[in-house]
Amino acid sequence: EAGVTQSPTHLIKTRGQQATLRCSPISGHTSVYWYQQALGLGLQFLLWYDEGEERNRGNFPPRFSGRQFPNYSSELNVNALELEDSALYLCASSFRGRGGNTIYFGEGSWLTVV
Amino acid sequence: AQRVTQPEKLLSVFKGAPVELKCNYSYSGSPELFWYVQYSRQRLQLLLRHISRESIKGFTADLNKGETSFHLKKPFAQEEDSAMYYCAASGSARQLTFGSGTQLTVLP
């Protein structure tokens, strides 16, 4: 079974530009989560999508946005990039079945803003 | 506010020694608790969750609701256990709140 896949693996952007990161969840999973792992700041929750709807967002400015497509894949958009947006962006997916909500992670996309 | 606390950033033990990674949580309701592990150059992966009450790679974790703790334990540490360990909690909002992580190093 394929895991959560993310693209691109690495992305370098200039301050002020926009970045788009993509995620394909595990087959059958309807929820997608985005996390930011910045150096020294740990894992910070960004966004949660389920069944195509944004269900919750973390404490990030509106220039962080995303969407979930009918096939449950998702993209994260970061507008007006700032240097401090440089981080590893992790996507995760889950299916809430019996036994609780287990979340599985992708390998992440490294975003570097210069 | 929902919070997961891992008080130790770094923890070193010798091979064969017991290891305990501490985790405390502050959460409304009855959260689900998890331990995730990230080995060098690998993705974050689920180690265990309190609902299943299972033992993975010799690790166990007991949920203590009175102390709001979910410490991870292993009686005999192995060198391959060296990794970054994250405690996480999930409430009604379903997303995970992570602790800051503990880097475990098992010395030969």
Side-chain angles (χ1 to χ4, degrees):
Chain A
E1 179 184 282
V4 178
T5 57
Q6 293 186 242
S7 64
T9 308
H10 293 86
L11 187 62
I12 300 175
K13 290 286 187 177
T14 304
R15 192 170 57 180
Q17 285 187 314
Q18 178 197 43
T20 298
L21 308 176
R22 296 179 177 82
C23 172
S24 292
I26 292 172
S27 177
H29 286 191
T30 59
S31 279
V32 169
Y33 309 80
W34 287 95
Y35 285 83
Q36 183 196 65
Q37 190 174 24
L39 198 62
L41 293 178
L43 285 151
Q44 305 292 322
F45 167 71
L46 263 167
L47 289 158
W48 167 34
Y49 293 96
D50 184 58
E51 299 283 358
E53 302 278 336
E54 182 181 300
R55 301 296 183 181
N56 204 6
R57 67 179 292 128
N59 189 24
F60 281 84
R63 57 191 186 82
F64 286 83
S65 65
R67 53 180 171 165
Q68 186 178 33
F69 300 98
N71 66 354
Y72 302 116
S73 67
S74 174
E75 67 180 28
L76 173 70
N77 295 295
V78 189
N79 294 318
L81 284 165
E82 300 178 1
L83 296 178
E84 52 265 34
D85 296 333
S86 295
L88 177 66
Y89 289 85
L90 293 172
C91 175
S93 72
S94 75
F95 170 71
R96 192 176 182 92
R98 285 190 299 174
N101 181 35
T102 300
I103 297 175
Y104 299 88
F105 285 83
E107 292 187 332
S109 292
W110 284 100
L111 172 63
T112 302
V113 183
V114 297
Chain B
Q2 299 162 343
R3 184 185 293 270
V4 177
T5 303
Q6 294 178 252
E8 303 139 329
K9 276 191 177 304
L10 304 170
L11 182 62
S12 294
V13 300
F14 286 100
K15 177 183 172 181
V19 61
E20 180 180 68
L21 291 88
K22 291 184 169 52
C23 172
N24 289 88
Y25 64 92
S26 173
Y27 241 84
S28 58
S30 298
E32 296 178 47
L33 277 298
F34 304 82
W35 276 98
Y36 280 81
V37 61
Q38 191 168 29
Y39 300 102
S40 179
R41 299 185 183 279
Q42 293 188 27
R43 72 178 66 196
L44 195 63
Q45 56 188 281
L46 179 68
L47 182 61
L48 54 80
R49 52 183 181 165
H50 88 273
I51 284 180
S52 55
R53 301 181 66 81
E54 57 198 342
S55 172
I56 303 293
K57 300 185 179 182
F59 284 98
T60 58
D62 290 322
L63 178 61
N64 186 321
K65 292 185 178 181
E67 296 182 357
T68 60
S69 68
F70 188 56
H71 303 329
L72 183 68
K73 300 176 184 179
K74 185 170 182 177
F76 307 103
Q78 303 298 315
E79 289 182 69
E80 55 265 30
D81 296 329
S82 296
M84 189 73 166
Y85 290 81
Y86 292 95
C87 181
S90 175
S92 58
R94 284 179 59 184
Q95 78 267 7
L96 287 171
T97 298
F98 284 89
S100 54
T102 298
Q103 178 66 50
L104 173 66
T105 302
V106 181
L107 304 167

